């Protein structure tokens, strides 16, 4: 049986041509080289069940992610699978994924930020499906879907009068040093917490 080797999505693939006829092997090799040159996968997509593909992706990425991230991925992917109602991977298309984002924002009233997070997880999952050997899909339809527009609010700063009232109210409280430090040093809440954690560690 004739075998060939080629690179696909950064991976070395060794595939049997399933023939011993030199002429047939030469013809199949030419077809696969042409597919690679055109940016197409020479391997056909696999008719794998959508839910099975999600489970395999989660198992494969479990060791590289935090438990909280893995739970979020699972919730988003299973929610999409339930909404889409697709039984196999090859039924997933760009319009389906675009309609899902629209559904999250318009019907579930989720924020564009949350909807874009769901899209990001779908993109990562489908990229994994495309790079799987053998591939479950030939192209990633989620990459062509545009995220929902978001608006970034400008930060609001306290006025001098508001700062005076805040410090007067906090006077004598155990939070006063933290509030005063944040105001006069211009620290964010995350930076203030980090400073507090470092001080506690030094005392311990």
């Amino acid at each position: 049986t004739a075998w060939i080797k080629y690179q696909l999505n950064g991976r070395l693939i060794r595939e049997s041509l399933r023939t011993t006829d030199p002429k047939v092997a030469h013809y199949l090799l030419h077809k696969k080289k042409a597919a690679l040159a055109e940016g197409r996968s020479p391997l056909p997509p696999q008719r794998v069940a959508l839910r099975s593909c999600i489970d395999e992706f989660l198992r494969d990425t479990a060791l590289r992610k935090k438990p909280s991230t893995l739970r979020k991925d699972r919730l988003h992917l299973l929610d999409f699978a339930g909404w889409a109602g697709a039984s196999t991977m090859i039924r997933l298309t760009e319009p389906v994924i675009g309609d899902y984002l629209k559904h999250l924002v318009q019907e579930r009233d989720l924020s564009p930020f949350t909807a874009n997070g769901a899209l990001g997880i779908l993109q990562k999952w489908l990229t994994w499906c495309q790079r799987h050997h053998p591939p479950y899909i030939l192209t990633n339809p989620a990459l062509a879907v545009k995220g929902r527009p978001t608006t970034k609010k400008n930060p609001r700063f306290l006025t001098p009068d508001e700062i005076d009232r805040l410090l007067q109210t906090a006077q004598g409280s155990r939070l006063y040093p933290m509030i005063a430090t944040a105001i006069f040093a211009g620290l964010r809440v995350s930076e203030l917490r980090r400073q507090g954690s470092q001080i506690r560690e030094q005392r311990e």
Side-chain angles (χ1 to χ4, degrees), residues 8-127:
L8 178 62
N9 295 323
R11 298 176 60 180
L12 179 63
I13 306 298
R14 186 172 183 269
E15 182 186 0
S16 171
L17 294 179
R18 299 178 183 177
T19 181
T20 57
D21 188 324
K23 291 184 179 180
V24 175
H26 179 76
Y27 169 75
L28 293 176
L29 177 61
H30 177 74
K31 286 189 62 177
K32 290 183 181 293
K33 284 183 176 180
L36 288 170
E38 294 173 4
R40 297 181 288 110
S41 170
L43 297 176
Q46 302 297 300
R47 288 184 174 272
V48 63
L50 187 145
R51 178 60 186 270
S52 298
C53 187
I54 290 175
D55 291 340
E56 185 180 354
F57 166 75
L58 293 172
R59 288 194 302 270
D60 187 55
T61 58
L63 296 179
R64 302 191 296 273
K65 294 182 178 180
K66 297 179 181 179
S68 58
T69 302
L70 195 64
R71 286 194 297 271
K72 182 178 67 174
D73 288 359
R74 180 184 298 276
L75 288 174
H76 276 301
L77 292 176
L78 293 183
D79 180 75
F80 170 74
W83 176 88
S87 57
T88 60
M89 295 298 301
I90 60 175
R91 295 187 61 185
L92 297 185
T93 61
E94 178 186 343
V96 169
I97 297 172
D99 287 345
Y100 176 65
L101 255 65
K102 187 184 300 183
H103 162 76
L104 293 180
V105 174
Q106 296 182 359
E107 298 182 26
R108 294 197 190 174
D109 200 27
L110 297 182
S111 69
F113 180 82
T114 301
N116 291 342
L119 174 62
I121 293 173
L122 288 173
Q123 289 173 338
K124 291 178 182 177
W125 167 52
L126 293 175
T127 295

Side-chain angles (χ1 to χ4, degrees), residues 118-202:
L119 174 62
I121 293 173
L122 288 173
Q123 289 173 338
K124 291 178 182 177
W125 167 52
L126 293 175
T127 295
W128 177 90
C129 293
Q130 186 181 13
R131 294 177 177 176
H132 188 275
H133 178 65
Y136 292 146
I137 55 175
L138 297 183
T139 59
N140 184 346
L143 296 178
V145 178
K146 294 183 178 180
R148 309 295 294 185
T150 58
T151 56
K152 185 177 181 180
K153 296 182 179 179
N154 294 324
R156 177 184 176 277
F157 298 97
L158 297 178
T159 66
D161 288 342
E162 289 173 331
I163 291 175
D164 289 340
R165 289 200 302 271
L166 177 59
L167 291 174
Q168 289 175 7
T169 302
Q171 188 73 39
S173 167
R174 63 184 180 86
L175 295 178
Y176 180 83
M178 181 182 298
I179 294 173
T181 300
I183 290 175
F184 295 116
L187 297 179
R188 298 176 180 175
V189 174
S190 59
E191 295 170 331
L192 195 62
R193 289 175 178 171
R194 186 162 57 250
Q195 292 287 341
S197 299
Q198 292 174 353
I199 293 174
R200 284 194 298 271
E201 290 176 357
Q202 291 174 358

